[in-house]
Amino acid sequence: MGAIEGILTGFEVALSLEGILFVLLGVFVGTFIGMLPGLGPISAIAIMIPITYGMNPTLALVMMAGVYYGAVFGGSTSSILLNAPGISGTVASSFDGYPMAQNGQAGKALAIAAISSFIGGSISVILLMAFAPMLSSVAISFGPPAYFALMLLGLTAIASLSEGSTVKALISAVIGFMVATIGIDPQTGTARYTFGSTNLLDGIDFLIIALGLFAIAEVGYLIINRHKKSITDAKQLGSLKLSKQDMKEIAGPSGRQSILGFVLGILPGAGATIASFISYISEKRLSKNPETFGKGAVKGLAAPEASNNAATSGSFVPLLSLGIPGSGTTAVMLGAFLVLGVQPGPMLMGDNPEIFWGIIASMYIGNVFLLILNLPLIPYIARVLTVPRPLLISLVVVFSLIGVYAISFSTFDLYLLLAFGVIGFLMRMFAFPAPPFILAFILGGMMEQSFRQAMTSSNGDISVFFTNNISLVLIILSVLSFAFPIIKSMRQNKKEA
């Protein structure tokens, strides 16, 4: 079956009455779950697997795919309104989304997030339709040296995430690296920095750190500043209308970062979280006014929102084409495939074209539904800011505790959440930026593992990073990325002198 015939088959499935109902159900459930801090699509899909047993496999998988990208689409809501990321992929959305909400532009911020997410999802689905079979080979070509170089490229942007002192940003990143090493060494099986506690053998979950550094730290800040004028005045919710200038600012970042997010989503292990951070950093570097980022910049919200939704679609490339999950969520999706008697991989397109193309086509239909669902609801969703501050603080704490407890049902994780909340509060009080900590934690583990795998496979020969074409290009880009801000600063100082 050719690509055109396959696409038509996919839309025939997605546009059937049952297809539309299951897509709508999936994106609605996903959006709702994405809004709740800490729950995320993994839990939702895992719960749905036994429910879908015995159902039509195509419709069941279309629905679960809808839950996945629906959760990413809706996850920005709590990030923007409460500074409590709904899922890990929307942490970067809070950097500029939350300041916009504080400035009385909550409606505008949610509208930007919805439109950017739609653009990212739509562009990525088109790319998925056009290049899915071919792009699977690109994912395979990324070995350990290339992965290490990719992570290195991401780390060169730590200085871009600083909001003042670069030294403080580096200190924050070092602490993030240290936390990333906690747990069992994946290669030797040795316990590292667990202090004899079995609760730390599996390391620390990302959501615990994200909710602690952002949500719980924000609660502490609100309590300390409780006598200041509330930012939750109903008159300050703002309009969701976007000006022509806003649309121009959204268009460029959304288009660029959708492509970048899709490419990063293809790579196993990268996913929406890394894609959103790298997109935010790259957009900040491209901006003529980088100082506005972190203070409510439209581009700073549009870039990660477009990227994380595009990465979601990209993560289906290795799953559908190779049978390899590219993220934790697609790993659960792989289990759903197998439970329903479907084997994803190279033979899926030929043996079950209605499933392969049906899932892809349903993503575009689902993105349209998400835009239709979310835009009219924005004025009502934004009313959460009118909730009295004591009640709002209580809700943030309760949802954060529930979200963290749902990860592993461990009370120890709740203590960790509070500990990182205190750390995040102190970092905020002493002007240590939290984003470098988060970025270093995300990339640190993958970077270490890729480096050690590359060195093991080459018998300790460091030249393996320079003989691999992909890693060599990425290392050159890393050097340029590191040198560019220094050269720019030197020229500026020379001009001032």
Side-chain angles (χ1 to χ4, degrees), residues 161-235:
L161 292 174
S162 63
E163 298 170 1
S165 172
T166 304
V167 174
K168 288 184 176 181
L170 292 173
I171 292 172
S172 180
V174 168
I175 297 172
F177 273 126
M178 292 169 65
V179 174
T181 61
I182 294 173
I184 294 179
D185 186 315
Q187 281 198 311
T188 65
T190 306
R192 303 186 297 187
Y193 309 111
T194 59
F195 304 100
S197 172
T198 55
N199 294 298
L200 292 173
L201 290 176
D202 290 331
I204 300 175
D205 192 272
F206 172 74
L207 272 175
I208 296 174
I209 296 173
L211 289 174
L213 293 183
F214 290 98
I216 302 301
E218 182 66 24
V219 165
Y221 180 79
L222 290 175
I223 292 172
I224 292 295
N225 297 280
R226 61 187 178 277
H227 298 302
K228 292 185 178 181
K229 184 181 178 181
S230 175
I231 62 169
T232 61
D233 186 351
K235 296 179 182 179

Side-chain angles (χ1 to χ4, degrees), residues 408-477:
S408 59
F409 300 101
S410 169
T411 53
F412 183 79
D413 286 349
L414 300 181
Y415 293 122
L416 283 177
L417 174 67
L418 295 176
F420 280 104
V422 173
I423 293 171
F425 176 75
L426 293 174
M427 289 175 69
R428 182 162 182 171
M429 294 299 291
F430 292 99
F432 281 83
F437 183 112
I438 294 287
L439 182 64
F441 177 81
I442 294 170
L443 299 182
M446 294 178 62
M447 190 174 182
E448 179 198 5
Q449 187 174 355
S450 299
F451 179 80
R452 293 173 69 180
Q453 287 175 344
M455 295 302 288
T456 301
S457 63
S458 65
N459 294 320
D461 185 3
I462 197 74
S463 65
V464 68
F465 297 103
F466 305 100
T467 54
N468 181 287
N469 292 333
I470 297 176
S471 62
L472 178 60
V473 171
L474 290 172
I475 287 173
I476 291 172
L477 290 174

Side-chain angles (χ1 to χ4, degrees), residues 133-157:
M134 181 184 71
L135 288 174
S136 59
S137 60
V138 176
I140 296 175
S141 65
F142 263 71
Y147 267 108
F148 171 79
L150 180 64
M151 301 302 111
L152 182 64
L153 178 60
L155 285 176
T156 58

Side-chain angles (χ1 to χ4, degrees), residues 359-445:
I359 290 174
I360 294 175
S362 71
M363 290 181 184
Y364 190 79
I365 307 299
N367 273 288
V368 174
F369 282 153
L370 284 169
L371 192 66
I372 295 172
L373 278 174
N374 282 270
L375 281 180
L377 292 176
I378 284 175
Y380 304 100
I381 295 171
R383 300 295 294 181
V384 72
L385 292 180
T386 65
V387 175
R389 183 173 289 191
L391 179 57
L392 185 62
I393 289 173
S394 303
L395 288 173
V396 172
V397 172
V398 168
F399 280 125
S400 297
L401 291 174
I402 291 173
V404 166
Y405 189 73
I407 296 171
S408 59
F409 300 101
S410 169
T411 53
F412 183 79
D413 286 349
L414 300 181
Y415 293 122
L416 283 177
L417 174 67
L418 295 176
F420 280 104
V422 173
I423 293 171
F425 176 75
L426 293 174
M427 289 175 69
R428 182 162 182 171
M429 294 299 291
F430 292 99
F432 281 83
F437 183 112
I438 294 287
L439 182 64
F441 177 81
I442 294 170
L443 299 182

Side-chain angles (χ1 to χ4, degrees), residues 105-343:
Q105 296 178 309
K108 179 179 177 180
L110 290 171
I112 290 170
I115 293 170
S116 301
S117 297
F118 174 75
I119 294 172
S122 300
I123 291 176
S124 63
V125 170
I126 293 171
L127 293 173
L128 187 59
M129 286 179 172
F131 303 113
M134 181 184 71
L135 288 174
S136 59
S137 60
V138 176
I140 296 175
S141 65
F142 263 71
Y147 267 108
F148 171 79
L150 180 64
M151 301 302 111
L152 182 64
L153 178 60
L155 285 176
T156 58
I158 283 177
S160 299
L161 292 174
S162 63
E163 298 170 1
S165 172
T166 304
V167 174
K168 288 184 176 181
L170 292 173
I171 292 172
S172 180
V174 168
I175 297 172
F177 273 126
M178 292 169 65
V179 174
T181 61
I182 294 173
I184 294 179
D185 186 315
Q187 281 198 311
T188 65
T190 306
R192 303 186 297 187
Y193 309 111
T194 59
F195 304 100
S197 172
T198 55
N199 294 298
L200 292 173
L201 290 176
D202 290 331
I204 300 175
D205 192 272
F206 172 74
L207 272 175
I208 296 174
I209 296 173
L211 289 174
L213 293 183
F214 290 98
I216 302 301
E218 182 66 24
V219 165
Y221 180 79
L222 290 175
I223 292 172
I224 292 295
N225 297 280
R226 61 187 178 277
H227 298 302
K228 292 185 178 181
K229 184 181 178 181
S230 175
I231 62 169
T232 61
D233 186 351
K235 296 179 182 179
Q236 297 181 1
L237 293 176
S239 171
L240 60 85
K241 291 183 179 179
L242 301 179
S243 64
K244 289 184 178 179
Q245 180 61 31
D246 291 330
M247 293 305 295
K248 285 181 180 179
E249 288 192 61
I250 291 171
S254 297
R256 287 189 294 269
Q257 306 309 332
S258 295
I259 297 172
L260 177 60
F262 178 74
V263 172
L264 290 173
I266 294 170
L267 306 176
T273 307
I274 291 176
S276 62
F277 269 90
I278 291 179
S279 293
Y280 181 85
I281 293 163
S282 64
E283 198 59 44
K284 184 176 181 180
R285 288 193 166 183
L286 289 171
S287 175
K288 295 179 180 178
N289 303 298
E291 68 280 356
T292 62
F293 279 65
K295 300 174 184 176
V298 172
K299 292 182 178 180
L301 176 57
E305 276 300 297
S307 182
N308 61 25
N309 280 269
T312 303
S313 299
S315 66
F316 277 88
V317 171
L319 176 65
L320 296 176
S321 301
L322 302 172
I324 299 172
S327 64
T329 308
T330 50
V332 178
M333 281 287 294
L334 175 61
F337 270 88
L338 299 177
V339 167
L340 292 166
V342 179
Q343 178 63 56

